[in-house]
Amino acid sequence: MHEGQRGLCFVRGVEAGEVKLFTYGRSSGFCVDPIEKKPLNHFLPGTSVLSFGTAGCNLACKFCQNWDMSKSREMDTLADRATPEMLAAAAQRLKCASVAFTYNDPVVFMEYAMDVADACREAGVKSVAVTAGYINAAPRVEFYKHMDAANVDLKGFTERFYKKICGAELGAVLETLEYLKRETSVWFEITTLLIPDENDSDAELDQMTRWIMDKLGPDVPLHFTAFHPDWKMMDKAHTPPATLTRARNIARANGLHYVYTGNVHDSAGSSTYCVGCGKRVIERDWYELGEWQLDAAGKCLHCGTRLPGVFDGAAGNWGAKRMPVRLAAMAR
Ligand code: SF4
């Protein structure tokens, strides 16, 4: 980039001979959500998470459901200002177990995200990255040192899909997933948004879930979520619930233990079952928890098998609420 130029993400550019991040300390808004909405089903279930994003993104997904933020060229939309310390204090005051970097990819504001994560760690609040996993090897190491959990999108399983629909590369995302599994203790789950006729064929789902089984093992939770027409993909139909169930069946037949359907009312597909005895241990309907059959350490009350994930005592009771917050008003 030359002096005065902005990158594809638009939030980084060259000023006075240096590459700078123009969104540090500025957010597109804050909201307290259920952790299940990220989605994370095995990370402090039932707790609330303080979610925020900035602007810009390093991908250009034609189906982006947050395009008003991820494609924003208007820094003025970033109305809320928040230092890392303000954010950590707000999360504590709101009794959130974690903060989530979400809405747009934290990779484009990583120094801000890492500073927030450090302030939160000191305050006993955990950090969650909601990301497309499209990041180079060196910053990947740096970034994930600061994170406790992540939800990584695996948007499809063909280079064609990543190139044509997202402006990215599948290989780099697979490297991130393997890195997280092999070299970190970050708890991570995977999400695939299924788009009719783009990434939902039996063959692609079979290939993808075989890869997950082979490289990441059976215990990484996988979420299949429903697409709705948005941004530059207004011509596609909504994902039928039957497609999510078909995908879940393929993944389970390939050996994955925890496969969920999302964005639909499907209690069977969104609940968690013990791999030891087959009994339901966490009942869910969308983001609402029901019956809970785990002890404080996350072991099945029926057979003692430990559920993989991060558990800390009883289930949280945040429910399905979504609560917007103004940090500036809280700081006064
Ligand atoms: S990675 Fe997420 S935020 Fe970025 S363009 Fe794609 S869908 Fe939108």
Side-chain angles (χ1 to χ4, degrees), residues 57 59-61 63-64 70-71 103-105 132 155:
C57 193
L59 280 81
C61 306
F63 51 83
C64 184
S70 68
K71 298 293 141 230
Y103 307 137
N104 63 328
D105 202 301
K155 292 173 184 284

Side-chain angles (χ1 to χ4, degrees), residues 83-117:
T83 63
E85 291 69 30
M86 276 168 72
L87 261 153
Q92 251 186 340
R93 235 169 100 184
L94 292 161
K95 300 197 175 7
C96 294
S98 53
V99 296
F101 312 106
T102 181
Y103 307 137
N104 63 328
D105 202 301
V107 160
V108 296
F109 61 96
M110 72 177 272
E111 50 271 62
Y112 181 36
M114 293 188 305
D115 287 351
V116 172

Side-chain angles (χ1 to χ4, degrees), residues 21-83:
L21 172 64
F22 296 105
T23 53
Y24 191 102
R26 302 175 69 187
S27 163
S28 48
F30 301 89
C31 196
V32 182
D33 290 319
I35 191 73
E36 286 73 18
K37 194 173 177 190
K38 298 303 97 191
L40 286 176
N41 278 359
H42 295 225
F43 184 77
L44 304 173
T47 61
S48 58
V49 54
L50 179 60
S51 304
F52 77 99
T54 60
C57 193
N58 57 333
L59 280 81
C61 306
K62 291 184 175 160
F63 51 83
C64 184
Q65 298 176 355
N66 292 319
W67 60 270
D68 49 335
M69 294 180 215
S70 68
K71 298 293 141 230
S72 176
R73 295 284 182 269
E74 282 294 328
M75 292 296 146
D76 294 351
T77 58
L78 300 178
D80 274 333
R81 287 181 180 271
T83 63

Side-chain angles (χ1 to χ4, degrees), residues 89-295:
Q92 251 186 340
R93 235 169 100 184
L94 292 161
K95 300 197 175 7
C96 294
S98 53
V99 296
F101 312 106
T102 181
Y103 307 137
N104 63 328
D105 202 301
V107 160
V108 296
F109 61 96
M110 72 177 272
E111 50 271 62
Y112 181 36
M114 293 188 305
D115 287 351
V116 172
D118 290 350
C120 284
R121 211 165 255 181
E122 275 196 24
V125 175
K126 299 200 182 310
S127 291
V128 174
V130 181
T131 175
Y134 188 51
I135 181 170
N136 280 312
R140 179 191 291 146
V141 173
E142 186 61 28
F143 180 70
Y144 283 107
K145 271 188 212 160
H146 302 258
M147 299 298 138
D148 298 291
N151 187 294
V152 182
D153 279 346
L154 182 52
K155 292 173 184 284
F157 207 66
T158 60
E159 286 293 354
R160 179 207 70 86
F161 182 88
Y162 264 89
K163 211 168 169 184
K164 190 179 134 217
I165 312 281
C166 309
E169 290 160 34
L170 170 63
V173 179
L174 299 183
E175 277 172 28
T176 296
L177 291 168
E178 286 193 80
Y179 169 77
L180 284 171
K181 179 69 189 175
R182 269 199 327 260
E183 297 186 44
T184 74
S185 56
V186 174
W187 175 258
F188 70 100
E189 305 187 14
I190 299 173
T191 296
T192 302
L193 180 84
L194 292 176
I195 305 175
D197 302 326
E198 292 289 349
N199 62 356
D200 68 339
S201 72
D202 284 359
E204 186 167 342
L205 293 167
D206 181 55
Q207 238 192 330
M208 182 175 90
T209 53
R210 276 177 199 272
W211 183 89
I212 295 173
M213 183 67 189
D214 185 36
K215 304 288 184 186
L216 310 177
D219 289 338
V220 176
L222 172 61
H223 303 255
F224 288 114
T225 57
F227 159 88
H228 65 252
D230 216 326
W231 183 226
K232 293 183 177 169
M233 269 205 173
M234 297 303 291
D235 55 333
K236 286 272 167 197
H238 289 249
T239 310
T243 298
L244 302 179
T245 304
R246 173 171 58 83
R248 181 167 179 261
N249 290 341
I250 291 170
R252 280 155 54 91
N254 281 335
L256 300 187
H257 289 156
Y258 308 104
V259 189
Y260 299 103
T261 57
N263 298 353
V264 286
H265 280 292
D266 172 18
S267 184
S270 53
S271 294
T272 303
Y273 301 87
C274 175
V275 286
C277 63
K279 295 223 166 70
R280 187 176 65 193
V281 285
I282 308 177
E283 180 186 18
R284 288 186 201 83
D285 185 11
W286 215 300
Y287 307 130
E288 194 91 45
L289 298 191
E291 191 188 16
W292 178 266
Q293 294 288 327
L294 296 171
D295 71 8

